[in-house]
Structure formats: C-alpha cells, structure tokens
Amino acid sequence: MAGRSSRAEREAQARVLRAVLLAAEEGLTEEALEAQIEGLGAAEIESAVEALLASGLLKCAEARLYPSGAATRFNRLRPL
C-alpha cells in the first residue's frame, strides 16, 4: 500500500508542476492551482507544493509559485 500512496504523491506533484510550468512567468497562487487542477484536494496540492519547493523545482515569491531554472530547463528538453 505504501507504494500506491507514493505513486499518488508523485502524480500530484507532476500535475502541480505541469500547471506552474504552463503559467511560467505569470506564476500561480495556491488558490489558482486548486481551481485549475481537478481531482486533487487542497491538502494534496499543499503537500505536492511543499515537496516541489523542497526539491528546488518550484520557487515562491510574493505568494506566487514559479518554476525554478531546473524545471524550465528540463521542460525545454522534454516539452509538456
């Protein structure tokens, strides 16, 4: 069962990262993420955001989430 929750967490992180990458320079607030990502609850989104911030794939400035340089470079190599 632990593998399933881990996979669900990774899928949530992927969905959050994809949404932030699509917003690019505009950035997104967590509230905007909740509105854009269907099927994920606020707690799941918050957990995914925390993990992505800790990994360095997202950065937060003025309550908005932006992709980090590493995330945008990877996205250029493998576009969504």
Side-chain angles (χ1 to χ4, degrees):
M1 289 294 210
R4 286 188 180 176
S5 71
S6 177
R7 180 177 178 177
E9 290 171 2
R10 287 192 310 270
E11 288 175 357
Q13 290 172 18
R15 291 178 69 188
V16 167
L17 183 57
R18 190 173 298 121
V20 175
L21 280 167
L22 290 172
E25 295 175 7
E26 297 172 15
L28 285 175
T29 63
E30 285 194 44
E31 292 81 21
L33 274 173
E34 288 180 31
Q36 283 190 349
I37 300 175
E38 295 178 13
L40 288 181
E44 293 170 305
I45 291 173
E46 183 178 344
S47 176
V49 166
E50 288 175 6
L52 290 166
L53 286 169
S55 71
L57 290 173
L58 290 184
K59 57 186 177 181
C60 184
E62 298 178 16
R64 296 184 80 78
L65 298 167
Y66 300 92
S68 71
T72 55
R73 281 190 298 278
F74 180 76
N75 189 43
R76 282 188 214 121
L77 295 174
R78 295 184 169 260
L80 297 175

